[in-house]
């Protein structure tokens, strides 16, 4: 179901390691400013991934830019790093605003991207950006990121309902930190290692069920027949089964849900 999306993400994972140096008439950069992670995805004139970079950072909280200068610095450094790797200047960028925060913080996000030296060409909301890659007509896109879970309901390809609730991967790491007596950053690293996922799933089940109950609350009465998972926290193997069981709604996830939104942002550029 996600063949095109999975192909795009696979190509992106490759170019993060090995950028494509063939010249392009124009480059489109997607800037995803997240609670846990800042991601830049670069597409060429044919919308193929050619380079990418990401950095874990603490510059955004609950969709709000809380460290404006730090955010500009990180985006600028990642931009310069990618320009050096590509041997080309990156001019155009799109960024996205978390669901439910438009009007509130879109100015700050725009200013960060411009402050880092980009010309901003689009500022879609995150679910619309994710759907530029997923291409879903009807259903709920659930974005479980670092700080929040965003629920966006689509009808005929258009976002008709959005909600963003403050539970995400950070809470998963806090649970691991408590259960394993690790400090937070050690718990983060432990969680991101796929080799630990089978062992962690029962430990994380209660917090995953909490996310599922948040989803249930927002989809109730809204005629949702499919849940589509994106966001870094959905990289956790088995999260989709628990969510499907608890919501009773068929739940799907692409191979690497973490890079769907950044690639979608670049597509809207
Ligand atoms: P938000 O959407 O809340 O603003 P964000 O955009 O920074 O946050 P993402 O980049 O989508 O969020 O996801 C970051 C979260 O995903 C972090 O909590 C991180 O620990 C988690 N994560 C990343 N990779 C993995 C992995 N392989 N397994 C489990 N969790 C992961």
């Amino acid at each position: 179901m996600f063949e095109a999306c999975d192909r795009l993400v696979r190509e992106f994972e490759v170019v993060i390691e090995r950028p494509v140096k063939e010249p392009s008439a124009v480059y489109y950069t997607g800037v995803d400013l997240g609670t846990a992670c800042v991601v830049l995805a670069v597409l060429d004139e044919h919308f193929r991934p050619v380079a990418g970079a990401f950095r874990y950072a603490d510059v955004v909280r609950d969709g709000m830019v809380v460290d404006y200068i730090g955010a500009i610095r990180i985006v600028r450094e990642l931009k310069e790093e990618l320009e050096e790797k590509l041997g080309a200047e990156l001019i155009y960028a799109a960024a996205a605003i978390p669901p439910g925060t438009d009007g509130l913080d879109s100015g700050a996000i725009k200013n960060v991207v411009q402050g880092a030296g980009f010309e901003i060409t689009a500022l879609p909301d995150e679910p619309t950006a994710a759907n530029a890659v997923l291409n879903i007509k009807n259903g709920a896109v659930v974005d479980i990121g670092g700080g929040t879970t965003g629920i966006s309901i689509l009808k005929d390809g258009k976002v008709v309902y959005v909600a963003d609730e403050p539970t995400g991967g950070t809470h998963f790491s806090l649970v691991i930190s408590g259960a394993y007596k690790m400090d937070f950053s050690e718990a983060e690293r432990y969680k991101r290692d796929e080799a630990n996922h089978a062992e962690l799933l029962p430990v994380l089940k209660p917090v995953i069920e909490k996310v599922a109950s948040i989803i249930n609350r927002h989809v109730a009465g809204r005629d949702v027949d499919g849940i589509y998972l994106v966001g870094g926290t959905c990289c956790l193997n088995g999260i989709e089964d628990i969510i499907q069981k608890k919501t009773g709604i068929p739940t799907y996830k692409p191979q690497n849900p973490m890079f769907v939104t950044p690639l979608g942002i670049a597509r809207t550029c």
Side-chain angles (χ1 to χ4, degrees):
M1 114 170 299
F2 291 119
E3 284 98 22
C5 167
D6 287 341
R7 199 170 339 110
L8 196 71
V9 174
R10 265 199 308 276
E11 285 174 16
F12 183 60
E13 287 172 321
V14 170
V15 302
I16 288 176
E17 299 300 324
R18 270 178 289 121
V20 176
K21 285 194 173 168
E22 282 157 38
S24 170
V26 65
Y27 292 97
Y28 304 107
T29 305
V31 179
D32 190 2
L33 280 177
T35 310
C37 201
V38 176
V39 187
L40 265 64
V42 186
L43 308 180
D44 69 5
E45 58 193 312
H46 308 295
F47 291 101
R48 307 301 329 162
V50 288
F54 61 93
R55 191 178 301 170
Y56 282 91
D58 194 13
V59 291
V60 172
R61 223 164 279 156
D62 297 340
M64 303 283 295
V65 179
V66 290
D67 178 1
Y68 185 69
I69 303 296
I72 292 179
R73 184 176 45 77
I74 290 172
V75 176
R76 187 182 292 131
E77 283 172 8
L78 292 176
K79 177 179 184 283
E80 285 170 359
E81 183 186 312
L82 290 170
E83 286 176 333
E84 196 174 318
K85 284 182 179 164
L86 285 169
E89 192 186 357
L90 300 175
I91 299 168
Y92 304 111
I97 43 175
T101 61
D102 40 332
L104 197 67
D105 210 32
S106 57
I109 290 173
K110 193 172 166 183
N111 290 341
V112 167
V113 177
Q114 287 173 329
F118 282 111
E119 203 171 296
I120 195 144
T121 57
L123 200 61
D125 59 77
E126 284 178 355
T128 301
N131 207 34
V133 171
L134 292 171
N135 284 315
I136 290 156
K137 287 273 170 276
N138 295 294
V141 174
V142 174
D143 180 349
I144 314 177
T148 63
T149 293
I151 298 120
S152 313
I153 300 179
L154 289 110
K155 297 271 179 234
D156 298 323
K158 293 264 170 291
V159 178
V160 296
Y161 175 84
V162 294
D164 209 30
E165 295 252 2
T167 299
T170 302
H171 305 82
F172 288 45
S173 301
L174 287 170
V175 169
I176 296 167
S177 167
Y180 287 74
K181 311 280 175 266
M182 290 174 177
D183 67 30
F184 181 81
S185 44
E186 200 185 340
E188 262 288 318
R189 281 193 302 277
Y190 197 75
K191 179 188 73 173
R192 292 203 295 261
D193 184 347
E194 233 180 89
N196 300 324
H197 284 182
E199 170 200 316
L200 284 175
L201 205 61
V203 178
L204 293 172
K205 194 165 177 248
V207 69
I208 300 171
E209 287 181 337
K210 184 185 174 212
V211 171
S213 67
I214 290 171
I215 300 170
N216 272 336
R217 190 151 34 82
H218 289 285
V219 301
R222 294 200 160 87
D223 194 23
V224 169
D225 54 12
I227 290 172
Y228 302 87
L229 297 177
V230 298
T233 296
C234 297
C235 294
L236 186 75
N237 292 328
I239 191 171
E240 62 280 18
D241 301 328
I242 297 176
I243 289 177
Q244 174 162 291
K245 192 156 180 219
K246 189 85 183 158
T247 59
I249 300 171
T251 300
Y252 311 96
K253 79 170 180 183
Q255 264 173 22
N256 185 342
M258 177 144 169
F259 293 133
V260 172
T261 302
L263 284 164
I265 297 172
R267 278 246 164 134
T268 66
C269 198

